[in-house]
Amino acid sequence: MQVESAYLQVMDWSDLPIFLAIARTGQLTKAAHALEIDATTAGRRLRRLERSLGERLFEQGPDGQSLTPAGERLLTQARAMERAAAAIGSRDAGGPVRGTIRASVSEGFGTWFVSRHLGELAEAHPGLAVDLVATSGFLNPTRRETDVAVLLARPRRGPLLTRKLADYGLRLYASRAYLAAHKPVVTPDQLREHRLIGYVPDIIYAPELRYLDEIPGAPEPQLRSSSINAQYRMTTAGAGIAVLPCFIGDADRKLARVIPDIRIRRSFWLVTHEETRHFPHVAAFAGWLAALAARHRTELEG
């Protein structure tokens, strides 16, 4: 412990954010982008930090940088310092919320729900910048790749705080034009007479997306995409029948529910890292999102 205290005294403290960013993202280029500096500068400052400590902090692997034992030790101390700094900065509880929040959400939820309401968050917190990462897949809150994540399943491990954000419903939808031009579909067995739209089976990134497995008699989708937005576009274009979240399908008057008795239920889980959940900007965003989901419960559940 004396050795660690000694080398913390001789290092340049301004290099610690570089170290933390690389530890969280696992890649020097991503860390540089997050800190809005170039990768060459980030690499030079990391090497300077390693020279001052006399130890290597990362090993280079095929997927990026991974912490060495010395890096793990420094990470524990750096996180403690970060928490202390955040506590000092948040003592004025009545002050404005400032900072950048990164939120990782599913593509459909981010595109069709969260993004519609971000203006109200910006009005309430003018000093808060939001990076909304809405993709097919999620950033990892355990590795601190994101401040807040909305996941399709509750994480089973990791230093995380998890709570249910909302339940949401999914139904079968088709365009009204498609239904007018094709055979009636009243029962699940009749789905075999229609084109189904769905995910690419072997690259589904979460088992919760295997919706068609829950519909008796449903055939494999003929038109497939890893993107729920692409599936929606195919459906509105009259290409076939798809399972869509109700907050997407019900929002488009060109679409109609098919076999209304079939309803699939899923949940969104709000996840933050236990070390940062009390940071003012993280708490502000998580609280706003929870309140937003509660207000729009009917829309989400369909």
Side-chain angles (χ1 to χ4, degrees):
M1 192 65 177
Q2 291 179 345
V3 174
E4 290 177 356
S5 299
Y7 70 52
L8 283 175
Q9 292 175 11
V10 299
M11 69 184 221
D12 189 330
W13 293 82
S14 67
D15 292 335
L16 270 184
I18 304 287
F19 167 76
L20 282 168
I22 298 172
R24 287 168 182 159
T25 63
Q27 292 188 358
L28 189 145
T29 53
K30 287 184 178 180
H33 178 74
L35 296 173
E36 298 182 345
I37 61 176
D38 62 78
T40 301
T41 299
R44 175 174 51 80
R45 292 178 63 180
L46 172 62
R47 290 191 294 274
R48 180 173 70 182
L49 178 61
E50 290 179 324
R51 284 195 302 271
S52 69
L53 301 181
E55 295 187 277
R56 289 196 56 138
L57 300 175
F58 295 96
E59 295 287 352
Q60 179 67 48
D63 298 323
Q65 281 75 29
S66 59
L67 287 164
T68 64
E72 293 283 0
R73 292 194 299 272
L74 179 60
L75 181 62
T76 299
Q77 291 188 317
R79 282 177 171 172
M81 294 162 57
E82 186 180 47
R83 289 196 298 271
I88 293 170
S90 62
R91 283 176 183 169
D92 181 10
V97 176
R98 299 186 181 279
T100 299
I101 188 82
R102 175 168 293 182
S104 175
V105 302
S106 63
E107 181 191 27
F109 186 62
T111 303
W112 287 86
F113 186 76
V114 178
S115 61
R116 282 195 290 122
H117 302 282
L118 279 179
E120 72 177 53
L121 178 67
E123 290 289 338
H125 301 291
L128 184 64
V130 180
D131 293 338
L132 182 65
V133 183
T135 59
S136 298
F138 298 98
L139 299 181
N140 190 334
T142 300
R143 293 182 58 186
R144 305 283 288 276
E145 295 173 343
T146 183
D147 300 302
V148 177
V150 178
L151 306 180
L152 302 180
R154 184 172 191 164
R156 298 301 180 188
R157 61 177 64 89
L160 305 172
L161 178 70
T162 304
R163 56 173 163 158
K164 182 184 284 190
L165 178 64
D167 293 322
Y168 67 102
L170 304 103
R171 294 182 184 273
L172 288 163
Y173 291 90
S175 71
R176 299 182 188 279
Y178 175 89
L179 294 174
H182 293 78
K183 295 179 180 179
V185 52
V186 180
T187 66
D189 288 342
Q190 292 174 325
L191 288 171
R192 295 189 175 278
E193 302 175 24
H194 294 264
R195 285 190 303 271
L196 262 61
I197 299 166
Y199 284 97
V200 182
D202 59 344
I203 56 173
I204 290 179
Y205 65 88
E208 291 77 18
L209 300 179
R210 298 187 182 279
Y211 309 130
L212 293 176
D213 291 351
E214 300 182 24
I215 301 176
E220 288 292 316
Q222 183 178 347
L223 302 176
R224 302 177 290 198
S225 174
S226 60
S227 164
I228 190 65
N229 288 333
Q231 294 177 40
Y232 159 76
R233 292 295 183 187
M234 286 188 273
T235 308
T236 58
I241 299 172
V243 175
L244 298 175
C246 294
F247 59 81
I248 296 179
D250 290 346
D252 192 328
R253 294 184 178 181
K254 297 190 297 292
L255 299 182
R257 292 179 178 178
V258 177
I259 319 179
D261 289 343
I262 294 178
R263 183 181 180 223
I264 299 169
R265 185 185 182 93
R266 292 289 189 270
S267 299
F268 288 128
W269 296 88
L270 181 62
V271 181
T272 54
H273 197 284
E274 64 180 17
E275 292 183 353
T276 59
R277 61 190 176 97
H278 292 306
F279 287 10
H281 64 301
V282 176
F285 183 86
W288 168 79
L289 189 57
L292 179 69
R295 289 203 314 269
H296 293 269
R297 177 180 174 182
T298 301
E299 176 186 349
L300 290 171
E301 294 186 353

